[in-house]
Amino acid sequence: MKRDVRILLLGEPKVGKTSLIMSLVGEEFPEEVPSRAEEITIPADVTPEKVPTHIVDYSEAEQSDEILHEEIVKANVICVVYDVTKEATIEKIRTKWIPLVNGEAEKGKKVPVILVGNKSDLQSGSSMESILPIMNQFSEIETCVECSAKNLKNISELFYYAQKAVLHPTAPLYDPEEKELRPLCVRALSRIFTISDQDSDGILSDEELNFFQKSCFGSPLAPQALEDVKSVVWKNTGEGVQDNGLTLTGFLFLNTLFIQRGRHETTWTILRKFGCDDSLELTDDYLYPP
């Protein structure tokens, strides 16, 4: 897992990029806003994932295209900020900012993007009707957060989602265009299933599932929770449950469901517990324990 996270805020002038940063740090809306905030570093002990986080502002008026390109290359995640009250700033996401960030990137190597709709205090409705087609067009968009620098609504959530996009990325696990797990992820999870299937009968029994659950998450599932999991799998894929246990098909379906519901951290916890690095290869520490 990455040792730190670098977040870059981009977007049209006056959408409130700097105000968002200053509201996060100061926990109140700033009376005076500079044209650009200095780089902020948030220590590990005050972030949800316990990882140092660097937040970088961008000002088109102050910085050159060359500096912008350098910052994009250094960033782990990009927050593209728009003004929910100005449709033109939403259109620029599609026509300017995402092509600028990922226009030449290979599939699977694109920088994750969080869309940030600022100034929600000025609008009673939501901008999601305009945003959803853009999210469907660009698979690198992880999520969209509507917020307000003025009344602090969803400010900490915005930076949490940005952190999460780096520490628990979607791209290595799941192909959003095909709506399925990527081959390397299937391979890694299949290995984990085989290790967890202690009697090698091709089915995870309740005992094996609970041992797996305790190994990954520290505590077993309650009996009802275990039945609920199997019920969800059985309703969605008939081959997922057999002899009252979970098959490999069911195990893969369950992890697909976690990812589709935005719970990537669950699948990443499993993968990392069984020695996978961010590229889904086995770490040296796992292969050659001290």
Side-chain angles (χ1 to χ4, degrees), residues 238-255:
E239 299 173 356
V241 176
Q242 190 177 320
D243 297 334
N244 202 35
L246 206 61
T247 66
L248 174 59
T249 300
F251 186 68
L252 294 174
F253 167 78
L254 208 51
N255 280 280

Side-chain angles (χ1 to χ4, degrees), residues 84-137:
V84 297
T85 68
K86 294 186 176 172
E87 193 72 31
T89 66
I90 296 175
E91 187 56 30
K92 288 284 188 180
I93 299 169
R94 186 201 309 268
T95 59
K96 176 181 176 181
W97 293 111
I98 293 185
L100 188 66
V101 170
N102 281 325
E104 297 176 9
E106 296 175 30
K107 188 178 179 182
K109 294 189 176 179
K110 295 181 175 181
V111 183
V113 173
I114 306 289
L115 299 184
V116 182
N118 191 25
K119 307 188 184 182
S120 64
D121 55 291
L122 299 178
Q123 182 167 288
S124 55
S126 169
S127 60
M128 290 309 294
E129 192 174 329
S130 301
I131 289 297
L132 281 173
I134 300 174
M135 292 182 72
N136 291 332
Q137 182 180 348

Side-chain angles (χ1 to χ4, degrees), residues 149-180:
K150 191 164 189 178
N151 63 22
L152 308 186
K153 178 189 172 189
N154 286 343
I155 301 296
S156 56
E157 286 83 353
L158 142 65
F159 291 101
Y160 167 71
Y161 282 122
Q163 259 198 348
K164 185 176 166 181
V166 178
L167 301 176
H168 311 297
T170 308
L173 306 183
Y174 184 75
D175 186 333
E177 291 168 13
E178 301 295 331
K179 292 183 171 55
E180 63 185 19

Side-chain angles (χ1 to χ4, degrees), residues 3 107 112 117 174 199 205 207 215 229:
R3 294 178 185 275
K107 188 178 179 182
Y174 184 75
D199 59 7
S205 65
E207 292 76 17
S215 300
V229 165

Side-chain angles (χ1 to χ4, degrees), residues 21-117:
I21 296 171
M22 296 184 74
S23 291
L24 174 76
V25 175
E27 297 184 345
E28 62 180 3
F29 187 66
E31 290 182 14
E32 293 184 16
V33 181
S35 57
R36 183 175 69 89
E38 294 298 319
E39 180 177 326
I40 304 288
T41 299
I42 300 176
D45 59 355
V46 294
T47 65
E49 299 285 351
K50 305 303 179 192
V51 174
T53 300
H54 311 280
I55 302 173
V56 182
D57 197 4
Y58 169 71
S59 167
E60 205 166 347
E62 283 193 11
Q63 294 169 291
S64 66
D65 289 347
E66 186 179 356
I67 291 174
L68 172 59
H69 179 71
E70 288 173 5
E71 289 294 356
I72 289 171
V73 170
K74 288 193 288 185
N76 302 124
V77 57
I78 308 281
C79 291
V80 179
V81 184
Y82 65 92
D83 180 338
V84 297
T85 68
K86 294 186 176 172
E87 193 72 31
T89 66
I90 296 175
E91 187 56 30
K92 288 284 188 180
I93 299 169
R94 186 201 309 268
T95 59
K96 176 181 176 181
W97 293 111
I98 293 185
L100 188 66
V101 170
N102 281 325
E104 297 176 9
E106 296 175 30
K107 188 178 179 182
K109 294 189 176 179
K110 295 181 175 181
V111 183
V113 173
I114 306 289
L115 299 184
V116 182

